[in-house]
Amino acid sequence: MNYTEAKSKFINTWGSLGTLWGINKAMAQIQSLLFISSEPLSMEEIMEELKISRGNTSMNLRQLIDWGIVSKEFKAGERKEYFTTEKDVQELARIIAKERSRRELQPTIKVLKEVSNITPDGTKETDEFIKQTKAMCELTETADSLLNKMANQQKNWITKSILKIFS
């Protein structure tokens, strides 16, 4: 496999995996292209490389910036904006974990707390509902706590976390 084939395979695979960390395929492909690029890329370069529209590129770059994964760079004497991504894989994982907690787990916890705190009416159905939604809330809070502990670790948090598990 040559560089071009490997690059394409990496971008497509990362794009497919994007849904696992809460983003769409095009967004993941843009991030992966920036991740493997030796220099910041302009919107036009991203569009050309990935064969996606200006609107799709613009919208997804804006979302990646909102996630804190991509940033804009300016080159002296040029009007174009250039984009780059976090290159440290552990820092990238930390940012993603933190953002997923904020966007997904914390709103879910809020809803689970709300629905599990209904007034018991003495029926079997209500009692089971309260019991199960409280259990789900506790599990979600535990998952969020673990995710936040990992996200708040300094560099090498993956290694430190694994070592703590096996210590």
Side-chain angles (χ1 to χ4, degrees):
M1 180 180 316
N2 65 29
Y3 167 75
T4 304
E5 293 168 329
K7 179 179 174 182
S8 178
K9 189 171 190 171
F10 174 77
I11 290 169
N12 287 323
T13 301
W14 193 253
S16 297
L17 291 174
T19 56
L20 296 176
W21 51 282
I23 65 170
N24 68 52
K25 184 177 180 177
M27 201 168 152
Q29 287 179 323
I30 291 169
Q31 191 280 327
S32 67
L33 175 63
L34 293 172
F35 184 74
I36 60 172
S37 295
S38 58
E39 296 290 325
L41 299 176
S42 69
M43 185 180 306
E44 291 74 18
E45 291 168 322
I46 295 167
M47 290 167 41
E48 183 180 322
E49 180 74 35
L50 299 177
K51 310 286 189 265
I52 56 177
S53 71
R54 178 175 297 281
N56 194 6
T57 305
S58 176
M59 177 184 67
N60 284 302
L61 281 168
R62 198 169 26 255
Q63 287 179 352
L64 286 163
I65 290 168
D66 288 346
W67 271 72
I69 297 171
V70 166
S71 57
K72 290 181 188 180
E73 288 192 9
F74 297 94
K75 291 186 179 180
E78 292 202 32
R79 295 179 64 191
K80 288 182 185 178
E81 294 177 335
Y82 289 84
F83 301 90
T84 189
T85 191
E86 176 61 52
K87 298 287 188 168
D88 182 316
V89 292
Q90 290 186 11
E91 179 63 13
L92 186 61
R94 192 189 71 71
I95 292 168
I96 292 167
K98 197 172 180 180
E99 197 60 22
R100 290 206 62 189
S101 169
R102 185 182 75 79
R103 290 174 183 254
E104 298 166 22
L105 291 176
Q106 290 176 11
T108 301
I109 290 167
K110 182 180 177 189
V111 169
L112 287 168
K113 282 182 177 180
E114 185 180 322
V115 300
S116 66
N117 284 320
I118 62 172
T119 306
D121 62 8
T123 65
K124 191 176 179 181
E125 291 81 12
T126 302
D127 290 347
E128 184 67 14
F129 179 83
I130 292 169
K131 176 184 160 193
Q132 295 301 75
T133 55
K134 280 187 179 192
M136 184 60 72
C137 185
E138 288 175 17
L139 176 66
T140 308
E141 285 176 323
T142 300
D144 190 46
S145 177
L146 286 170
L147 197 59
N148 280 307
K149 281 180 183 172
M150 290 191 308
N152 291 326
Q153 290 292 319
Q154 296 302 317
K155 205 163 175 87
N156 297 322
W157 65 268
I158 293 174
T159 307
K160 287 178 185 175
S161 298
I162 292 170
L163 289 175
K164 284 181 185 176
I165 291 170
F166 293 108
S167 307

